[in-house]
Amino acid sequence: MPSGTARRYHDRTTHSPESVRTSAHTLDWDVKPFPFKVYTELPARALPRELDPVAADALAAPAPAGTRTSLETLAALLYYSAGVTRKKAYPGGGEVLFRAAPSTGALYQTEVYVAAGEVEGLEPGLYHLCPGDFTLRRLRSGDVRQALAVAAADASVARRAATLLLTAIYWRNTWKYQARGYRHLFWDSGTLLANLLAVGDALGQAPRVLTSFVDADVNRLLGIDPAREAALELVTLGPEGAPAPPVTTLDEIRHPYMPLSSDEVDYPLLRELHAASSLESPLAVTAWRRGGATGPRAAEVTSGVLVPLPAPRAAAGRGLGETIQRRGSTRQFGHEALTAVELSTALGWATRPVAADVPQGLVDLYLIVNAVEGVAPGAYVYRRDAHALELVKAGELRRESAYLCLEQPLGGDAAAVIYFLAPLDDVLGAFGDRGYRLVNLEAGIAGGRAYLAAYAQGFGASGLTFYDRLVVEFFAPHAAGRDAIFVTALGRSAAGGRVTIGTTLGRPRRPPA
Ligand SMILES: Cc1cc2nc3c(=O)[nH]c(=O)nc-3n(C[C@H](O)[C@H](O)[C@H](O)COP(=O)(O)O)c2cc1C
């Protein structure tokens, strides 16, 4: 049963024209958090830099599962999901190291850890990835998969070759976005997962996402400070082998790391929601999964006019590794149209099933179509069952779309804008407060996949934030009972219809030092 914490949090962190205009928040650049977590007393182990370029077509079906997991495979998975793919210097001396997956404000609060068991070339242990120098540092030696399996109430965790653990460091994001940053933890781990799932599938690793586990036990295993950083998702990888041996004792660990900044602000609202949505025991994990199995699904049945979409493309003609290497959020869309096949492929890709411990389909995709060949401008909802667009209202809506996206021109200039909406109260009724994590994560993964499908096809995308209630009112009455969760815009870059990209491209085999 929901405690009301998630609903309260959601309502207190909505954006409105008034809240944006009256916000007194300013960015304190003196305490901007450092973008990398660097353990100061652990030796760094360099990951291979001669990477598998993941040449499989970016839109191909998953490769057959069962391929062994090697250190080289692991390096490719880590690089193409969390690695530094390009650098940009700014006037005044600032430099941003952009990563493989998009992230709100380029703040990169998602950290990645690896519980390695049967990884060829890597001793069993628990490791932390530092994308800055592309190294692993070992936090624990010995196989921890069995302890993780108990915390996740899932015996397969002890048999798969490795598990990646995604966490978030709150302050990296709340520095800019305050308590609203809790939503971003799931949007951004979702976009990272979109890449990880695609690369894992392409490399025959059969990645599977676990959203449920005993939070405190996983945090303790990682040795992270739960007031500042928390585990969000686990991803099991690689072939199943014999189960890892049981772990008798796990010492407390608290390896020192470089402070992120000289000062930080605590946002109790965020911590309260994380605590309220935590699971306390393996039994609670199992019960939660069972409870959600009968949960709500986004409604598919209405009587609007259906506009059929052509079949999605089965191939992009561009490799997945190259697609990720070239990705970068579009900073200005031109008004050039997308084809119906391009939109169809992006929608089909965004909503492909995710191998996970929970069912998907909790989030609906509403759209504003500004310029798509063969689809009249207007507002629609995507009907997955029919792979069609259902008309909500017809007309030119560029001005409205920009306004809904926090008055950002990107929302009006894009060819199509996906608004992810969820029947939040129903989801919270079925999954409790943890359902809040689920809807934001599902939208983040779908948004990340839309990005990949766009870049694979040679056009661009950008995640966007939005005026919560105005979005729901705009799609009313169709969207009654739903809340706005996330937005992704699609279109051709104003820079000649090509993707907007950085400078260090074309040689995916060598991540920058
Ligand atoms: C969840 C999410 C929300 C975003 N929201 C906005 C936004 O409101 N406005 C904007 O201009 N860019 C937005 N972006 C784009 C980020 O600023 C961009 O991902 C980040 O600067 C990293 O750059 P890159 O995507 O080019 O690698 C968003 C990205 C994500 C993943």
Side-chain angles (χ1 to χ4, degrees):
M1 269 288 110
S3 66
T5 310
R7 170 46 75 188
R8 260 195 315 280
Y9 166 86
H10 188 75
D11 291 344
R12 285 181 61 183
T13 57
T14 54
H15 277 328
S16 67
E18 301 71 44
S19 74
V20 167
R21 285 184 179 93
T22 56
S23 168
H25 182 58
T26 52
L27 296 182
D28 182 353
W29 291 96
D30 291 341
V31 296
K32 181 172 192 259
F34 191 64
F36 301 108
K37 185 178 190 187
V38 181
Y39 285 97
T40 48
E41 293 179 6
L42 299 174
R45 175 190 174 127
L47 280 159
R49 283 168 176 266
E50 288 297 316
L51 294 178
D52 184 331
V54 195
D57 191 281
L59 300 177
T67 311
R68 68 187 173 84
T69 311
S70 65
L71 185 59
E72 286 70 27
T73 315
L74 184 64
L77 286 161
L78 294 172
Y79 176 68
Y80 288 110
S81 58
V84 173
T85 46
R86 65 199 155 98
K87 285 184 199 175
K88 190 168 174 190
Y90 288 89
E95 183 184 66
V96 176
L97 299 181
F98 287 90
R99 315 268 181 106
S103 173
T104 44
L107 293 170
Y108 306 114
Q109 70 281 350
T110 313
E111 295 286 328
V112 183
Y113 299 79
V114 183
E118 293 289 335
V119 178
E120 277 181 27
L122 185 67
E123 312 81 67
L126 181 69
Y127 298 83
H128 171 257
L129 168 74
C130 180
D133 55 3
F134 203 51
T135 57
L136 293 177
R137 287 175 177 77
R138 192 164 68 190
L139 306 173
R140 292 181 185 275
S141 50
D143 197 333
V144 299
R145 288 177 299 162
Q146 195 63 253
L148 203 50
V150 173
D154 185 334
S156 74
V157 175
R159 294 195 299 268
R160 303 293 302 272
T163 296
L164 301 194
L165 302 93
L166 272 48
T167 71
I169 297 182
Y170 302 150
W171 173 234
R172 278 231 195 93
N173 200 273
T174 56
W175 168 74
K176 179 169 183 186
Y177 296 106
Q178 303 175 278
R180 187 169 164 103
Y182 192 70
R183 306 175 185 214
H184 301 179
L185 310 188
F186 297 93
W187 301 353
D188 294 340
S189 58
T191 57
L192 193 153
L193 279 173
N195 285 22
L196 184 58
L197 294 170
V199 176
D201 279 337
L203 297 180
Q205 297 298 302
R208 179 164 179 268
V209 179
L210 295 174
T211 62
S212 51
F213 45 83
V214 182
D215 296 74
D217 290 354
V218 174
N219 292 341
R220 204 173 304 117
L221 181 75
L222 293 167
I224 57 182
D225 173 0
R228 296 189 161 80
E229 181 178 359
L232 304 182
E233 296 98 27
L234 315 179
V235 183
T236 55
L237 295 166
E240 289 212 9
V247 179
T248 42
T249 51
L250 273 177
D251 298 335
E252 291 287 323
I253 52 167
R254 216 26 98 80
H255 298 294
Y257 59 92
M258 248 175 57
L260 297 186
S261 57
S262 56
D263 197 10
E264 66 185 64
V265 180
D266 180 35
Y267 289 93
L269 197 59
L270 177 158
R271 281 190 297 100
E272 276 160 30
L273 176 53
H274 199 70
S277 60
S278 289
L279 295 166
E280 308 285 335
S281 67
L283 271 181
V285 172
T286 319
W288 183 82
R289 278 180 200 146
R290 215 180 298 121
T294 54
R297 299 291 161 268
E300 300 277 17
V301 188
T302 48
S303 54
V305 178
L306 284 190
V307 180
L309 288 168
R313 277 185 179 147
R318 175 174 288 167
L320 179 60
E322 186 197 347
T323 296
I324 293 176
Q325 187 74 39
R326 292 170 67 93
R327 191 210 59 77
S329 298
T330 303
R331 300 291 80 193
Q332 196 187 348
F333 289 110
H335 283 204
E336 209 186 325
L338 294 181
T339 66
V341 171
E342 286 171 332
L343 178 65
S344 153
T345 305
L347 294 175
W349 239 76
T351 52
R352 284 190 327 156
V354 175
D357 58 345
V358 282
Q360 294 96 54
L362 304 175
V363 178
D364 300 301
L365 281 67
Y366 285 76
L367 285 100
I368 293 182
V369 171
N370 294 320
V372 176
E373 288 168 11
V375 182
Y380 296 86
V381 62
Y382 173 55
R383 289 269 303 270
R384 298 166 212 229
D385 56 337
H387 189 58
L389 295 178
E390 178 186 325
L391 186 65
V392 175
K393 57 177 124 173
E396 277 286 343
L397 297 165
R398 283 193 191 274
R399 210 168 44 86
E400 290 81 350
S401 192
Y403 190 69
L404 295 177
C405 296
L406 222 76
E407 302 172 50
Q408 300 180 87
L410 283 167
D413 293 334
V417 182
I418 308 172
Y419 293 81
F420 296 96
L421 275 69
L424 187 57
D425 289 324
D426 293 347
V427 172
L428 298 177
F431 288 97
D433 288 319
R434 206 174 181 94
Y436 196 68
R437 303 187 191 185
L438 286 187
V439 290
N440 283 284
L441 181 68
E442 183 174 322
I445 293 175
R449 285 174 154 182
Y451 258 100
L452 289 180
Y455 284 82
Q457 298 182 85
F459 58 95
S462 181
L464 288 176
T465 200
F466 47 88
Y467 287 137
D468 292 73
R469 293 204 179 94
L470 297 187
V471 169
V472 179
E473 282 167 20
F474 175 83
F475 289 104
H478 195 287
R482 289 171 172 77
D483 281 272
I485 303 297
F486 179 44
V487 173
T488 307
L490 305 172
R492 299 195 199 282
S493 162
R498 299 291 303 163
V499 291
T500 308
I501 49 175
T503 48
T504 55
L505 304 174
R507 295 191 59 80
R509 295 177 70 80
R510 284 177 213 289

